[in-house]
Amino acid sequence: MGRVLILSSSSSSTSLLSSISKTTHKCFNFSFLHHHSQHPSFLPSSSRFSMSSSSSSSSTIDISKYKQAFSRRMAMAGLKPHHRIALGVSGGPDSMALCVLTAGWKTAGVSDVSSKSGDFIDGLLAIIVDHGLRAESKEEANVVSHRVSQMGIRCEIAHCDWPSGKPKQGHLQESAREMRYKIFHEVCAQHKIGVLMVAHHADDQAELFILRLSRNSGVLGLAGTPFTSQNFPNKVPENHGILLVRPLLEFSKKDMYKILQGSSEDWVEDPTNQSPVFTRNRIRMALNDLSSSAFKSELQALISTCRVTRAYIDQVCYSLIMKAVVVMDHGYAVIDLQLLCPLKIEDICLSKFLSLVLQFVSQRQRQIRGSALKLLMEYVRTFPCKNSLTAAGCYLCPEPGSKGSKVLVCCSVEHPFPEKMEFFESCSDGEPEFSVANELGNIIEDGKSFVNHLTPDASDVHFLDVNTELVLDEAKRLNIITESTYRSILVLQKGETDRFRANAVAISDSTSKHGIENVQTFGKSLQPGQICYFMDRFILTWKFNNKISGDALRDLADYDMDLSGDAPSFCCTSCVGDSKALEVRHMIESDWLYLAQLSKHTHSKFLHQGVVSVNETKQMMENTASCLHYASISAQKALLLLKSVPVAARRSLPVLVTQQGWLLSIPSVNFRHCPCLMVHVEFKAKIPLGGGHSSFI
């Protein structure tokens, strides 16, 4: 798939395009713009791009079968023409074919497709990412935007900002992809679009299969990219995420060209896709050398078998989650080993189940694998559970009182990564607005109905008990692939495995110098009224009010406080001082000890002794006696609630403190030091249990 536009000479472009297919293509210098002279700003002054057109052969190609197949796949994803959709567009043949099919599907399914602002199709936006890695990239993005706009698709060009500098050659494609999807998500959120479609196709799946096979992936990885998947990017406060849809997975690269030829559309070829420097390019060229239809058909059959297995395993895991996992409001999970019956579950299903549970609790994007996963499987299969274990950002231990029949899975705060906070603004402006969550929820439910209908039986599933190294052998035994295809795949696998091992030391050295993972850190200061996402699990906000709430008044009345006159409306500033922001951190052991001490002291003791805070600094509150009364009552109630929260789970609770370190609030258990301090907290994990909706049909 062509990712970006590349400057090239006319001779190299002709050579590149002539090798794509047996159909004769024309390579020319923007001749497709000759009838759009009213847009001279799109024309380059001295550059020549690698462009293709096949209008001469369009009359001989009928693309109706592609349109029908595309419409069927859209229905399987739960999508209807009136839904709001974004397209990731690079200008290459794949994304341009996606534009052609999507525009046709939209216009055929909706009677009135013109928006009031012009002749663009309603609810359809093409996102073009200018990576900014070359001087001419901005001009190239304008060319693609112009061409896509001629199809009736509204476009937005987004320019990359590389705060840490442009990526180096060895990490160029990976870094560009991460940045591209980050921008896709941000633009979708800005335009209140919940569905993003990309143009991955069957040939991409074949390349990914060989790549992952060379990295020793199991059946789950060999299933390739999902047909639909729910992603949960940063800075999106709602919990619906973005639904990523790949409707072209059953189409080949050759189909992409036929669709464009049949619709008389032009595209751009990226010469860098022919460079053997990049792994995917080497695999692509090697697969092209094995051009027999039998090989391609058998390889796709093998991938399809892996996808059927993956769909079955996912369904088993979702059933196990519904049956044996309980999520608590304080951000931890409990696995009932008696209901789970881990000894009766296949290894591959149990490992996937544990990976999903730990990913939810830790809220890490990457799932657990390797030796840590094997250790976890041994842990849950030891019944009853007696020991504790730390793995993948989680702390596991027997649930108190369960005698080892249940396992507590908590977020571990004993890790090297800093506490994470993301800030966002409230969307409530008093005006009714389009609900992305409602539309996306309906789309996912419709898509699930197809998935549930097509979920295979266990008798139709292969590779459940097959080791990673023996997948190809089992496929040959089942006659999914022939001996010839088997040997060809082994050759491809060996070539990339040898390259991977040869580069392993260099990659390891680079990683040790530059860090294993680039973790974005956020400031811990939270302004009053500001909303933050703490550790991807708690939505938190606070403000200081001079009106005492009704609950606080009742608590103060219990201590025979004089609430007549202006007492309920007094304004206390001693708790916060002159600070305009509070700090947020996770709960520590001394917070518990502080609450215990606070709950035992009377008003008179406070006035003479003061209170020792978590950093051993005395909080002298002689001028805020009412705060001390309320704090003592609040601490007593909080201790009762904390007793119901296991000690291991308390550590991940958010805590508000002053910039001097004085404890002000533990909102998850309703503790606050001052009746004027208004704090709201909500446990709302960014990545839901199960990882969100996905489909491998």
Side-chain angles (χ1 to χ4, degrees):
M1 176 179 178
R3 296 295 183 188
V4 293
L5 298 169
I6 300 293
L7 292 175
S8 62
S9 65
S10 58
S11 59
S12 63
S13 301
T14 304
S15 175
L16 171 64
L17 295 172
S18 63
S19 65
I20 292 174
S21 67
K22 296 180 180 179
T23 306
T24 301
H25 304 306
K26 296 185 296 180
C27 181
F28 50 90
N29 184 19
F30 285 90
S31 63
F32 75 94
L33 289 174
H34 73 277
H35 57 288
H36 298 301
S37 57
Q38 66 271 30
H39 298 288
S41 61
F42 289 124
L43 297 176
S45 57
S46 60
S47 302
R48 305 193 73 183
F49 295 82
S50 175
M51 306 295 298
S52 295
S53 175
S54 51
S55 57
S56 60
S57 60
S58 62
S59 59
T60 63
I61 298 178
D62 181 12
I63 66 171
S64 59
K65 64 177 182 179
Y66 297 115
K67 291 182 177 180
Q68 293 173 3
F70 182 82
S71 180
R72 183 179 67 253
R73 296 293 285 184
M74 295 294 275
M76 293 173 69
L79 290 170
K80 298 179 176 59
H82 69 272
H83 287 142
R84 299 157 65 93
I85 297 172
L87 305 175
V89 179
S90 67
D94 310 340
S95 62
M96 293 300 286
L98 178 63
C99 289
V100 168
L101 293 176
T102 307
W105 170 76
K106 271 253 183 193
T107 54
V110 180
S111 57
D112 182 12
V113 298
S114 296
S115 67
K116 295 180 181 179
S117 59
D119 295 328
F120 292 118
I121 301 172
D122 268 341
L124 189 60
L125 175 69
I127 307 174
I128 301 169
V129 177
D130 170 19
H131 293 92
L133 299 176
R134 293 171 293 107
E136 60 272 16
S137 63
K138 182 178 180 180
E139 186 178 51
E140 296 166 358
N142 289 334
V143 173
V144 176
S145 175
H146 176 79
R147 191 60 196 156
V148 173
S149 296
Q150 297 304 306
M151 300 184 194
I153 301 175
R154 182 179 283 102
C155 293
E156 178 166 329
I157 299 176
H159 302 278
C160 291
D161 179 24
W162 301 95
S164 301
K166 296 179 181 180
K168 296 182 180 180
Q169 183 70 18
H171 303 279
L172 182 62
Q173 286 191 327
E174 180 181 358
S175 299
R177 181 188 182 280
E178 292 179 358
M179 178 64 76
R180 185 164 56 250
Y181 276 91
K182 176 179 179 292
I183 290 177
F184 284 159
H185 291 150
E186 290 175 351
V187 175
C188 285
Q190 179 184 355
H191 290 275
K192 297 180 174 60
I193 296 175
V195 178
L196 171 67
M197 297 204 307
V198 292
H200 294 137
H201 49 75
D203 288 26
D204 291 326
Q205 291 284 61
E207 296 166 14
L208 185 59
F209 179 90
I210 300 300
L211 176 62
R212 290 184 173 176
L213 191 67
S214 69
R215 304 297 192 264
N216 204 33
S217 291
V219 176
L220 298 177
L222 296 178
T225 54
F227 167 51
T228 58
S229 59
Q230 208 171 352
N231 291 1
F232 301 90
N234 292 337
K235 297 184 180 179
V236 180
E238 298 85 358
N239 200 33
H240 53 72
I242 297 291
L243 185 66
L244 189 61
V245 181
R246 300 175 174 89
L248 304 182
L249 285 183
E250 64 179 18
F251 297 166
S252 68
K253 184 75 171 186
K254 191 174 182 180
D255 293 331
M256 303 296 107
Y257 294 113
K258 289 184 177 180
I259 291 167
L260 294 176
Q261 293 164 9
S263 57
S264 300
E265 293 293 345
D266 308 304
W267 67 92
V268 179
E269 291 290 351
D270 181 357
T272 60
N273 284 340
Q274 301 296 312
S275 171
V277 173
F278 302 110
T279 304
R280 292 290 291 257
N281 294 350
R282 291 195 304 271
I283 296 175
R284 182 183 305 117
M285 290 184 285
L287 286 170
N288 288 337
D289 293 338
L290 301 168
S291 57
S292 70
S293 58
F295 171 81
K296 292 183 178 179
S297 177
E298 290 177 14
L299 179 56
Q300 291 298 332
L302 175 54
I303 296 173
S304 178
T305 305
C306 292
R307 293 177 72 81
V308 170
T309 305
R310 172 73 187 251
Y312 173 80
I313 293 170
D314 285 350
Q315 191 64 32
V316 170
C317 289
Y318 296 145
S319 298
L320 293 175
I321 287 173
M322 295 296 294
K323 177 181 179 182
V325 179
V326 176
V327 177
M328 312 304 290
D329 291 338
H330 292 100
Y332 63 96
V334 178
I335 302 176
D336 192 324
L337 297 182
Q338 289 181 320
L339 295 177
L340 183 64
C341 299
L343 294 176
K344 300 179 180 179
I345 303 173
E346 296 93 343
D347 282 356
I348 193 169
C349 293
L350 182 60
S351 64
K352 177 66 176 179
F353 164 81
L354 291 172
S355 179
L356 289 173
V357 174
L358 266 68
Q359 182 189 30
F360 166 74
V361 174
S362 67
Q363 286 297 298
R364 293 185 176 182
Q365 294 289 340
R366 295 183 178 180
Q367 296 184 13
I368 184 174
R369 53 175 59 92
S371 59
L373 192 53
K374 293 180 180 179
L375 185 64
L376 277 170
M377 291 175 63
E378 295 175 359
Y379 178 79
V380 299
R381 279 186 165 151
T382 303
F383 187 86
C385 176
K386 296 180 180 179
N387 302 317
S388 61
L389 176 68
T390 301
C394 294
Y395 177 80
L396 291 80
C397 64
E399 186 188 36
S402 70
K403 297 182 179 180
S405 64
K406 297 180 180 180
V407 173
L408 198 68
V409 186
C410 312
C411 178
S412 173
V413 297
E414 304 299 330
H415 55 74
F417 305 123
E419 292 174 340
K420 186 176 182 181
M421 284 178 60
E422 300 169 12
F423 302 98
F424 58 87
E425 300 296 330
S426 175
C427 296
S428 58
D429 52 7
E431 297 181 4
E433 58 180 82
F434 174 78
S435 174
V436 178
N438 290 341
E439 180 176 90
L440 191 55
N442 293 332
I443 292 171
I444 290 176
E445 286 304 314
D446 289 342
K448 284 182 178 179
S449 65
F450 279 95
V451 175
N452 295 336
H453 178 70
L454 297 175
T455 299
D457 296 328
S459 58
D460 299 324
V461 176
H462 306 293
F463 307 141
L464 284 178
D465 298 321
V466 179
N467 293 330
T468 301
E469 298 81 4
L470 302 177
V471 170
L472 290 181
D473 295 306
E474 181 68 8
K476 185 177 68 171
R477 187 187 71 81
L478 296 170
N479 295 321
I480 298 173
I481 57 175
T482 61
E483 178 69 25
S484 175
T485 298
Y486 171 80
R487 293 187 178 278
S488 296
I489 294 176
L490 282 180
V491 171
L492 293 173
Q493 176 193 14
K494 184 178 185 303
E496 283 307 316
T497 299
D498 292 343
R499 283 179 175 269
F500 178 70
R501 290 174 178 172
N503 295 330
V505 176
I507 294 175
S508 176
D509 292 342
S510 175
T511 300
S512 64
K513 293 179 181 179
H514 301 288
I516 297 176
E517 184 176 353
N518 181 21
V519 180
Q520 186 177 8
T521 61
F522 297 81
K524 298 179 183 179
S525 295
L526 181 61
Q527 305 291 330
Q530 194 175 27
I531 306 173
C532 82
Y533 218 164
F534 181 70
M535 301 298 290
D536 288 337
R537 62 186 63 244
F538 290 105
I539 294 179
L540 185 66
T541 185
W542 73 277
K543 64 180 180 179
F544 204 66
N545 195 351
N546 63 347
K547 295 287 185 180
I548 303 178
S549 66
D551 291 340
L553 286 174
R554 285 189 291 272
D555 291 338
L556 293 173
D558 291 340
Y559 268 65
D560 298 325
M561 288 290 296
D562 181 11
L563 302 179
S564 60
D566 296 332
S569 300
F570 79 93
C571 182
C572 169
T573 59
S574 297
C575 293
V576 182
D578 297 329
S579 175
K580 296 182 180 180
L582 299 182
E583 304 288 335
V584 185
R585 59 163 171 78
H586 63 80
M587 188 175 177
I588 56 180
E589 186 65 25
S590 56
D591 294 335
W592 166 272
L593 299 176
Y594 175 66
L595 291 182
Q597 182 186 17
L598 187 61
S599 66
K600 295 177 181 178
H601 281 70
T602 64
H603 171 54
S604 60
K605 289 182 179 180
F606 274 125
L607 292 179
H608 291 90
Q609 292 180 319
V611 181
V612 179
S613 68
V614 294
N615 63 353
E616 298 183 351
T617 301
K618 290 188 176 181
Q619 299 182 13
M620 302 305 295
M621 299 292 195
E622 288 85 351
N623 297 325
T624 55
S626 57
C627 288
L628 298 179
H629 279 288
Y630 179 77
S632 180
I633 301 168
S634 184
Q636 293 173 21
K637 294 183 176 181
L639 286 172
L640 292 176
L641 290 176
L642 277 173
K643 289 180 179 179
S644 65
V645 181
V647 175
R650 297 173 193 166
R651 298 172 186 150
S652 62
L653 297 180
V655 170
L656 279 172
V657 299
T658 66
Q659 293 180 343
Q660 294 77 26
W662 298 346
L663 175 62
L664 285 181
S665 176
I666 307 176
S668 298
V669 291
N670 300 323
F671 170 73
R672 46 188 176 142
H673 210 290
C674 176
C676 296
L677 182 64
M678 303 287 131
V679 185
H680 174 76
V681 67
E682 179 183 0
F683 172 67
K684 195 172 185 180
K686 178 173 291 186
I687 303 175
L689 183 59
H693 168 68
S694 65
S695 169
F696 283 81
I697 58 176

